[in-house]
Amino acid sequence: MHSPLQTQQPEHRSRPMMMTSTVSEIEEVIIPDEDDSNTTTTTTLLNASNGEQIRRRVSGKSLVDGGNRRISRQQSFSREIGHAAAETYLVTRLSFKLLRYLGVGYRWMTRLFALACYAMLLMPGFLQVAYIYFFSSQVRRSIVYGHQPRNRLDLYLPSNNDGMKPVVVFVTGGAWIIGYKAWGSLLGMQLAERDIIVACLDYRNFPQGTISDMVTDTSQGISFVCNNISAFGGDPNRIYLMGQSAGAHIAACALLEQATKESKGESISWSVSQMKAYFGLSGGYNLYNLVDHFHNRGLYRSIFLSIMEGEESFEKFSPEVRLKDPVVGKAASLMPPIILFHGSSDNSIPCDASKTFTDALQAVGAKAELVLYSGKTHTDLFLQDPLRGGKDELFDDIVSVIHAEDNDALTKDSLAPPRKRLVPELLLKLGREVSPF
């Protein structure tokens, strides 16, 4: 890859985010006393109302099995079942509502059928990832970060806890309609293997919410990570923001909006200076240039306008266009280095979307770089290549930027074994052919 972008350590410390729930995560750390006869339990509560850590210590031999050290997370099984049932009901209700928006249409129905075929072909890999997602102790699922529906995130933690880890906040794609935090599980697991914490954000999808809700949710999720990630071993001064497809657009909107607020001196709960870099993968940043393209691919103009709150809101939610505003253009100088990744054979969102956004950023003095991958499609970079195992250009490029200032980590990266293949090559090639994206 190109030489890693150099950034300065952010000096700003943001205020804790305000939330309505009281406790979002509980961890118990059991530390044996010197004689191992008694133990002291330190319970760390992340108080969501003020972002502070509250520690309680409880002594008792009964808390330790065999006197061995262990770290356990208490979860209520009944609460998990209740949450799953509520999510299932909500998704079902919203699916019927979405069908009323879509109506009977040849394009979207054929895309849906192609999506089903694509998922079946890649199912061997998806099942392996799902097993780790649900049963690995390194995955913390559905941590609440806000009071709105789907204000939850998943954390992927490295297996070792030696020192503070860099953090990637990842916003998944899904055409603003089917985005879900678990879509980032493969990326989260693979980055965690390189000692990087990953927080995959969920946000309200259409028709549950429109674009302003998605941006608000994402910004709130970023704020939660900035103010609480140290409790999980993350370094609050080494946070990277990343989005894929629709998630790249939403994350870019949130980042630019936050920079604009900060430049005006408005009250903020997190600062763009806390971001070491922004990675935009296969994103679209100018809605005016995408509406007809999406219509021809099955995301009909009427639905797209509903998602984006009408054509009158296109400018507000087009980061590329907003940069033409002198106030916003000036605020862009506050943003971290921006690296946009795109495949040259991407038919879902043409690579020109990243090219023109890079040019617009550079025109206002922002640090921006474009990395194009020859012959790669919309799903190659995010799914087929990671499932193939072995060397992965995009993955290596991202890790090289995150570890650019850590020589020990770079050495470990160079010695890391090749990642194992999760899906046979034949199925990957067939999946590439039937992919609706």
Side-chain angles (χ1 to χ4, degrees), residues 10 39 85 94 97 113 126 139 145 172 212 218 232 279 285 342 351 354 396:
T39 61
L94 292 174
K97 185 176 181 180
F113 177 74
F126 292 162
V139 181
Y145 69 78
T172 62
S212 60
T218 297
F232 297 92
F279 304 131
Y285 311 97
H342 222 117
C351 61
S354 289
D396 291 342

Side-chain angles (χ1 to χ4, degrees), residues 143-335:
I143 297 172
V144 177
Y145 69 78
H147 63 277
Q148 293 294 336
R150 299 193 67 181
N151 280 182
R152 290 174 170 81
L153 60 86
D154 293 332
L155 278 182
Y156 299 83
L157 305 174
S159 57
N160 70 77
N161 55 4
D162 54 340
M164 305 294 276
K165 310 295 185 184
V167 182
V168 171
V169 180
F170 182 67
V171 186
T172 62
W176 302 275
I177 297 174
I178 58 171
Y180 184 55
K181 55 187 172 61
W183 297 169
S185 54
L186 180 58
L187 175 71
M189 294 169 189
Q190 292 179 338
L191 286 177
E193 291 175 357
R194 297 295 182 89
D195 281 349
I196 300 168
I197 294 176
V198 180
C200 289
L201 302 184
D202 226 351
Y203 53 88
R204 284 170 286 176
N205 282 199
F206 182 81
Q208 188 178 26
T210 55
I211 184 62
S212 60
D213 300 314
M214 302 175 200
V215 173
T216 297
D217 289 352
T218 297
S219 184
Q220 193 169 5
I222 296 170
S223 176
F224 178 89
V225 173
C226 288
N227 290 297
N228 294 284
I229 200 60
S230 60
F232 297 92
D235 188 343
N237 293 318
R238 287 190 295 165
I239 299 177
Y240 298 79
L241 178 61
M242 180 176 179
Q244 187 264 340
S245 191
H249 165 252
I250 296 168
C253 288
L255 187 66
L256 188 58
E257 180 66 23
Q258 196 71 9
T260 304
K261 288 181 179 179
E262 196 169 335
S263 69
K264 295 178 179 178
E266 296 182 18
S267 176
I268 56 174
S269 61
W270 64 279
S271 171
V272 292
S273 65
Q274 294 175 272
M275 302 293 110
K276 291 281 286 181
Y278 167 71
F279 304 131
L281 174 58
S282 308
Y285 311 97
N286 187 332
L287 301 182
Y288 293 102
N289 295 341
L290 293 173
V291 57
D292 291 332
H293 173 77
F294 286 147
H295 178 82
N296 294 330
R297 293 186 59 82
L299 183 56
Y300 300 132
R301 185 183 183 92
S302 59
I303 302 173
F304 189 70
L305 290 176
S306 297
I307 295 171
M308 299 303 166
E309 302 172 3
E311 193 166 353
E312 61 273 12
S313 297
F314 276 13
E315 180 175 348
K316 179 180 179 181
F317 296 109
S318 295
E320 179 183 321
V321 177
R322 288 198 68 193
L323 290 172
K324 297 178 181 178
D325 183 331
V327 175
V328 179
K330 183 179 179 180
S333 63
L334 300 176
M335 294 199 299

Side-chain angles (χ1 to χ4, degrees), residues 365-412:
K367 297 178 182 177
E369 178 184 356
L370 172 64
V371 180
L372 282 178
Y373 298 95
S374 179
K376 297 296 184 180
T377 67
H378 197 71
T379 54
D380 278 336
L381 294 173
F382 189 64
L383 282 177
Q384 280 97 265
D385 286 352
L387 291 171
R388 182 172 284 113
K391 182 176 176 58
D392 181 345
E393 271 189 288
L394 172 66
F395 179 82
D396 291 342
D397 288 347
I398 291 172
V399 171
S400 68
V401 174
I402 297 174
H403 286 162
E405 299 173 0
D406 189 337
N407 291 330
D408 290 340
L410 289 174
T411 300
K412 290 181 181 179

Side-chain angles (χ1 to χ4, degrees), residues 14 96 101 149-150 283 307 345 358 378 409:
S14 61
F96 282 108
Y101 275 97
R150 299 193 67 181
I307 295 171
S345 297
T358 302
H378 197 71

Side-chain angles (χ1 to χ4, degrees), residues 23 26-29 40-45 53-59 74:
V23 177
I26 300 178
E27 285 192 346
E28 285 195 349
V29 182
T40 300
T41 302
T42 302
T43 303
T44 302
L45 306 181
Q53 297 180 25
I54 304 173
R55 292 186 175 272
R56 296 189 307 211
R57 299 175 67 83
V58 182
S59 297
Q74 292 188 338

